[in-house]
Amino acid sequence: KNEVEQSPQNLTAQEGEFITINCSYSVGISALHWLQQHPGGGIVSLFMLSSGKKKHGRLIATINIQEKHSSLHITASHPRDSAVYICAVGLNFGNEKLTFGTGTRLTIIP
Amino acid sequence: NAGVTQTPKFRVLKTGQSMTLLCAQDMNHEYMYWYRQDPGMGLRLIHYSVGEGTTAKGEVPDGYNVSRLKKQNFLLGLESAAPSQTSVYFCASSYLRGPFSLFFGEGSRLTVL
């Protein structure tokens, strides 16, 4: 079973700051997902990547396959970005084999 | 667009009672999943389905049963609830096995007394 470690566990920042959340895993993977869990509990898929970098709005996700590491960056952070961010990795391309991290709780203060 | 809808959102049960959680998706997805989320732990897969009429065990299937009689619905049943099944349950779906994004429901909070 793949071990997934996220850091930091909790992060508080001021509005406008550049945010970085890290995800490390122990075994080579085929795909990595970044998810966002809203304060109300719902979960939204942000990115799915197997190499390189993806960008959507103010969010950027990168992955380094050799180092078994991924980062999620948020530029110009806003209080509405406050959520738990979850990393999930898959050994193969099947979503039924995903291992989920425990999440990073992000709080953006106005 | 409804996406993935879970019912009920909240439920309190007594030990030994039974209940069914319903997951409905309107995206014509083949794959559907039931997860549980517990404090300090990542999401864990209970059961999943690769298409209408199919089900398969995930990481933590004991104490749960599932059915997928229609492509759009995936039911999770607890035949005899136990306090250890107190959790938040999430349903998700994906177009195919992977690598495709997961679409999640809003979650169902179940408390077993």
Side-chain angles (χ1 to χ4, degrees):
Chain A
K1 184 176 166 72
N2 213 345
E3 298 296 326
V4 179
E5 296 276 342
Q6 287 188 237
S7 63
Q9 286 188 310
N10 295 283
L11 177 58
T12 300
Q14 292 290 132
E15 182 175 355
E17 287 188 35
F18 181 82
I19 303 298
T20 297
I21 298 170
N22 299 298
C23 175
S24 297
Y25 48 90
S26 58
V27 181
I29 63 169
S30 295
L32 183 144
H33 299 247
W34 279 105
L35 311 171
Q36 179 191 55
Q37 185 166 20
H38 300 301
I43 298 174
V44 174
S45 179
L46 297 175
F47 295 104
M48 181 181 56
L49 64 166
S50 55
S51 64
K53 176 179 174 178
K54 286 191 175 181
K55 184 175 188 293
H56 184 257
R58 294 180 295 106
L59 274 60
I60 303 165
T62 64
I63 188 168
N64 185 317
I65 297 296
Q66 286 73 29
E67 294 186 4
K68 298 185 177 62
H69 181 268
S70 174
S71 293
L72 176 68
H73 304 287
I74 305 174
T75 61
S77 59
H78 190 276
R80 65 174 174 267
D81 297 325
S82 297
V84 175
Y85 292 85
I86 300 169
C87 167
V89 301
L91 285 175
N92 55 35
F93 285 113
N95 285 332
E96 74 277 9
K97 298 295 186 185
L98 290 175
T99 301
F100 292 80
T102 55
T104 294
R105 183 175 300 276
L106 174 66
T107 304
I108 303 297
I109 300 171
Chain B
N1 293 332
V4 179
T5 304
Q6 293 180 227
T7 52
K9 299 283 191 295
F10 301 92
R11 184 75 187 269
V12 178
L13 288 177
K14 294 181 180 178
T15 298
Q17 287 185 320
S18 64
M19 76 157 295
T20 300
L21 294 173
L22 169 63
C23 176
Q25 53 95 2
D26 61 1
M27 297 172 285
N28 201 36
H29 285 173
E30 290 294 335
Y31 277 65
M32 297 186 74
Y33 313 83
W34 275 108
Y35 295 95
R36 59 178 290 171
Q37 185 179 45
D38 299 296
M41 302 183 75
L43 288 161
R44 292 182 293 168
L45 182 64
I46 304 170
H47 286 280
Y48 65 99
S49 168
V50 304
E52 181 178 309
T54 75
T55 63
K57 293 181 180 179
E59 181 185 355
V60 288
D62 293 343
Y64 305 94
N65 56 76
V66 288
S67 65
R68 185 131 179 240
L69 299 179
K70 293 183 178 181
K71 185 176 182 178
Q72 63 267 34
N73 296 336
F74 194 29
L75 279 65
L76 178 71
L78 286 71
E79 289 188 348
S80 179
S84 61
Q85 293 177 304
T86 293
S87 188
V88 180
Y89 293 85
F90 285 94
C91 176
S93 70
S94 63
Y95 177 56
L96 287 173
R97 182 169 180 251
F100 289 94
S101 293
L102 288 164
F103 291 80
F104 286 85
E106 291 292 308
S108 298
R109 183 175 295 274
L110 175 65
T111 302
V112 183
L113 303 175

